[in-house]
Amino acid sequence: MACTSFVKLNTSASSTVFGQRSFNQRSGSSSTRSSVSRVSVIRAGSYSEELVKTAKTIASPGRGILAIDESNATCGKRLASIGLDNTEANRQAYRQLLLTTPGLGQYISGSILFEETLYQSTTDGKKMVDCLKEQNIVPGIKVDKGLVPLPGSNNESWCQGLDGLASRSAEYYSQGARFAKWRTVVSIPCGPSALAVKEAAWGLARYAAISQDNGLVPIVEPEILLDGDHSIDTTLEVAEKVWSEVFYYLAQNNVLFEGILLKPSMVTPGADHKEKADPETVAKYTLTMLKRRVPPAVPGIMFLSGGQSEMEATLNLHAMNQSPNPWHVSFSYARALQNSVLKAWQGRPENIEAGQKALLTRAKANSLAQLGKYSAEGESEDAKKGMFVKGYTY
């Protein structure tokens, strides 16, 4: 989506820093203090213990998330890259290849599914969710309904899907899902506007509260897009403002922090910036942002790859795990786990084993990166190729 101009994030009307906003409220009348006190109390829900257990299972050492929650249209683009038609049978064959990979559970703790896959079975009649459970992989579900234009903004977007979310979440839980994913985006070339940031944060917080109320651990994902020629310092500034707003509204909605997971973007320069950042710089900036904005109560930080090459995403994750962190710092990759699989499989039954081997290779590499033990020695040229797509949609 084109942007009309670069507008600095305007926070003068209302502070977006969690601590500062709370301090301003506390300095008011006794009724205001009472209101803030009520907002800060987290009510014990019927699923609280299960949510904490699920989050800890997903945030387990050496494991991360395989994201295969692309819409049918986006999955069709993946299949088209290897000459396959976008049919349900072909989508089933591809996702079956991924979810039945022997040994996958050693490196993967959760998998985000599209609704079609949650209700789908393999060609021999086994439910896809059961294939995951057999390997101690937690099934998850994409619950948002996609991005649409945000009126009154600088050509920005907002994420729809809150209507009917409670009933859908309850049904997903009964089908076997135990965590949820909601993706909204923030565009730096578009400002971002204060309106877009507030809308993203509030939508994520409402989704998170509804998910927890229905037994699903919410993955909180305000993706800061790579689009643009901005510096890494600009990305850091915007990321800090976005995450402070997100956690303010999560607290207002009484979300249990111990029962959520985050899916942030890594703090990098814009894709078109003349200077690229090495893994050590990305790690330094990203961890600085997280330590300033994310409470240690959050069990896991599951990074998105955001169009980085397979090797780049793994190297950056490795660099972030060279010293202890307050949280489990891991991965929730889609393209950075699937790209090699598609090239190895090519849609041919005789190549299923090769495709599964490629998936295990990438999953193991990121498992080692989560443990801080990855080496890029022996990586293929394909793994080094970037996958950035301007204005990428799922």
Side-chain angles (χ1 to χ4, degrees):
M1 184 175 292
C3 306
T4 57
S5 63
F6 184 92
V7 180
K8 291 292 285 182
L9 184 64
N10 179 11
T11 59
S12 59
S14 61
S15 170
T16 58
V17 180
F18 178 79
Q20 184 176 347
R21 190 195 297 257
S22 297
F23 176 80
N24 289 342
Q25 290 175 325
R26 285 195 298 268
S27 65
S29 66
S30 60
S31 61
T32 302
R33 290 196 296 272
S34 175
S35 174
V36 172
S37 177
R38 288 196 301 273
V39 167
S40 65
V41 173
I42 303 300
R43 298 186 308 274
S46 57
Y47 290 100
S48 293
E49 290 185 8
E50 182 181 349
L51 292 168
V52 173
K53 182 179 178 181
T54 299
K56 287 182 177 179
T57 298
I58 296 172
S60 54
R63 301 206 297 167
I65 294 174
L66 167 64
I68 57 169
D69 58 318
E70 302 90 354
S71 66
N72 288 346
T74 302
C75 189
K77 294 177 183 178
R78 302 269 167 88
L79 296 174
S81 72
I82 55 172
L84 290 185
D85 292 333
N86 186 14
T87 65
E88 182 178 355
N90 285 337
R91 294 193 299 270
Q92 176 196 38
Y94 178 50
R95 285 160 174 164
Q96 179 174 325
L97 178 157
L98 297 169
L99 300 184
T100 61
T101 298
L104 187 62
Q106 183 177 351
Y107 312 117
I108 299 296
S109 56
S111 182
I112 313 171
L113 310 177
F114 191 60
E115 189 174 89
E116 179 181 71
T117 315
L118 183 69
Y119 290 91
Q120 215 165 34
S121 296
T122 64
T123 50
D124 60 2
K126 182 182 289 187
K127 292 181 178 179
M128 295 285 193
V129 291
D130 290 339
C131 295
L132 292 172
K133 291 176 183 178
E134 287 177 0
Q135 295 211 55
N136 193 29
I137 299 173
V138 182
I141 178 68
K142 168 186 163 72
V143 299
D144 68 78
K145 294 296 184 180
L147 300 168
V148 293
L150 176 62
S153 71
N154 188 32
N155 282 351
E156 295 161 287
S157 300
W158 69 283
C159 189
Q160 57 187 347
L162 290 177
D163 288 351
L165 179 58
S167 59
R168 286 189 288 118
S169 297
E171 189 173 326
Y172 296 149
Y173 183 92
S174 67
Q175 189 64 20
R178 290 298 180 268
F179 72 102
K181 176 261 184 82
W182 174 288
R183 174 189 181 251
T184 192
V185 301
V186 172
S187 170
I188 292 179
C190 289
S193 68
L195 173 64
V197 173
K198 181 176 181 179
E199 178 60 47
W202 178 255
L204 284 166
R206 290 304 305 140
Y207 137 78
I210 294 168
S211 295
Q212 288 191 339
D213 200 45
N214 289 280
L216 302 179
V217 169
I219 290 184
V220 179
E221 181 185 359
E223 179 177 352
I224 297 171
L225 298 172
L226 281 174
D227 306 58
D229 60 0
H230 50 274
S231 70
I232 192 170
D233 290 288
T234 298
T235 306
L236 175 63
E237 178 186 357
V238 172
E240 287 184 356
K241 290 173 180 176
V242 169
W243 279 105
S244 64
E245 193 89 347
V246 167
F247 272 101
Y248 171 71
Y249 285 117
L250 287 173
Q252 273 207 335
N253 281 273
N254 295 321
V255 171
L256 179 69
F257 288 176
E258 292 88 341
I260 67 173
L261 296 167
L262 307 188
K263 187 170 179 176
S265 316
M266 297 179 189
V267 179
T268 67
D272 296 326
H273 191 65
K274 59 182 182 297
E275 295 181 11
K276 303 303 178 185
D278 58 33
E280 290 72 27
T281 302
V282 171
K284 177 184 177 182
Y285 273 77
T286 304
L287 291 174
T288 294
M289 183 274 292
L290 293 175
K291 289 173 181 176
R292 288 173 175 173
R293 291 295 179 263
V294 179
V298 174
I301 314 288
M302 321 300 285
F303 281 100
L304 59 89
S305 54
Q308 300 177 72
S309 72
E310 290 178 325
M311 191 176 81
E312 184 181 11
T314 308
L315 281 169
N316 288 341
L317 179 62
H318 168 77
M320 282 186 271
N321 281 294
Q322 292 309 295
S323 58
N325 293 301
W327 333 266
H328 173 80
V329 174
S330 192
F331 60 93
S332 177
Y333 293 164
R335 286 172 284 174
L337 283 171
Q338 295 183 44
N339 192 50
S340 293
V341 180
L342 285 163
K343 291 181 178 179
W345 176 45
Q346 291 295 314
R348 299 171 185 165
E350 64 270 23
N351 290 343
I352 289 176
E353 187 175 342
Q356 292 179 331
K357 182 180 179 181
L359 176 59
L360 283 179
T361 296
R362 293 274 24 113
K364 182 179 180 180
N366 286 295
S367 169
L368 290 170
Q370 196 288 312
L371 298 170
K373 299 177 180 178
Y374 167 73
S375 170
E377 185 177 350
E379 285 280 20
S380 68
E381 289 303 310
D382 278 340
K384 301 175 185 177
K385 294 179 180 178
M387 293 177 281
F388 170 72
V389 177
K390 188 174 183 179
Y392 183 72
T393 57
Y394 283 86

